[in-house]
C-alpha cells in the first residue's frame, strides 16, 4: 500500500530528463473562448480532456492565476475550439501574451458567436464544446478548469497536436494489431 509519506519522498532525477520525458505527451490543441463580444477573450490550451461522461465534463489545464479561468467563471460559460491541422497560426495567435485584448484579438478571424455561451466559435475548428462553468481548482503551478458540456459539434479533418514543444498537423493511422499467439 502506498501512503502519502511514500509519495513525498525526494525523487533523485535530473529535472531536464524529466522535462524531456514530459515532451512525449502529445495532445490536441484548442483555443478557449469566452464572450460576449464586448468582453471577448481567447487563449490557447494544449491540455483538454474528458473528465466524466455522466455528467459530461471536460477539464482544461491552464497556468495558475489564468485570466481565462477568472473570466469563464464570471461569465458562467465558455467554448472550446479544437483546432484543425491547418490552424497553427490561430494557436500561436492566442498563445501570444502580446496579442491585443478583447475583440481586437479576433480581428481577421472567421467566427460566430454561440447562442448560449456568447463565445466565439472559430471557423474551421474540428470540434466545438460549449460549456457551462463547473469549477476551477488550484493544482500545483496550474489551474484545472472544469466545464459541463451543454452542446458539442464535430467536423472532419486532421487535428493539430502539441508534441515535443512544437505544433504538428497530424495524419492519423490506426495502430497495428498484435499478432494472435
Amino acid at each position: 500500500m502506498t501512503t502519502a509519506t511514500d509519495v513525498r519522498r525526494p525523487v533523485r532525477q535530473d529535472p531536464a530528463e524529466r522535462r524531456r520525458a514530459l515532451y512525449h505527451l502529445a495532445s490536441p490543441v484548442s483555443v478557449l473562448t469566452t464572450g460576449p463580444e464586448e468582453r471577448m477573450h481567447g487563449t490557447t490550451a494544449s491540455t483538454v480532456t474528458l473528465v466524466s461522461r455522466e455528467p459530461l465534463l471536460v477539464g482544461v489545464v491552464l497556468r495558475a492565476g489564468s485570466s481565462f479561468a477568472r473570466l469563464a467563471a464570471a461569465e458562467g460559460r465558455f467554448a472550446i475550439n479544437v483546432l484543425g491541422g491547418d490552424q497553427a497560426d490561430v494557436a500561436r495567435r492566442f498563445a501570444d501574451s502580446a496579442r491585443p485584448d478583447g475583440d481586437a484579438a479576433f480581428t481577421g478571424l472567421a467566427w460566430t458567436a454561440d447562442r448560449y455561451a456568447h463565445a466565439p466559435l472559430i471557423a474551421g475548428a474540428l470540434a466545438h464544446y460549449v460549456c457551462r462553468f463547473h469549477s476551477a481548482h488550484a493544482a500545483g503551478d496550474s489551474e484545472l478548469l472544469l466545464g459541463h458540456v451543454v452542446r458539442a459539434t464535430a467536423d472532419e479533418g486532421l487535428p493539430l497536436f502539441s508534441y515535443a514543444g512544437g505544433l504538428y498537423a497530424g495524419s492519423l493511422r490506426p495502430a497495428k494489431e498484435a499478432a494472435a499467439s
Side-chain angles (χ1 to χ4, degrees), residues 20-172:
R20 192 178 78 72
L22 291 173
Y23 275 147
H24 285 73
L25 294 172
S27 58
V29 179
S30 300
V31 170
L32 313 177
T33 57
T34 189
E37 195 163 343
E38 61 276 4
R39 293 188 304 272
M40 287 193 319
H41 184 71
T43 192
T44 300
S46 60
T47 307
V48 176
T49 191
L50 174 66
V51 173
S52 169
R53 285 185 174 84
E54 191 56 45
L56 187 52
L57 297 174
V58 291
V60 181
V61 178
L62 300 165
R63 66 174 166 68
S66 163
S67 59
F68 185 87
R70 182 177 37 79
L71 291 167
E75 290 299 326
R77 52 196 90 182
F78 61 96
I80 300 170
N81 299 269
V82 180
L83 299 182
D86 60 348
Q87 293 181 303
D89 57 330
V90 176
R92 288 185 186 100
R93 174 192 293 209
F94 289 99
D96 184 355
S97 60
R99 71 185 174 279
D101 289 333
D103 63 343
F106 295 85
T107 300
L109 187 62
W111 60 273
T112 57
D114 178 74
R115 66 183 184 270
Y116 170 76
H118 308 289
L121 300 180
I122 298 171
L126 291 183
H128 296 109
Y129 305 115
V130 176
C131 301
R132 182 175 60 243
F133 177 83
H134 180 277
S135 56
H137 308 273
D141 64 355
S142 298
E143 188 165 356
L144 176 62
L145 173 65
L146 295 177
H148 178 217
V149 178
V150 297
R151 183 175 40 263
T153 58
D155 207 346
E156 298 294 319
L158 297 175
L160 181 65
F161 287 110
S162 172
Y163 178 75
L167 295 175
Y168 295 88
S171 76
L172 303 175

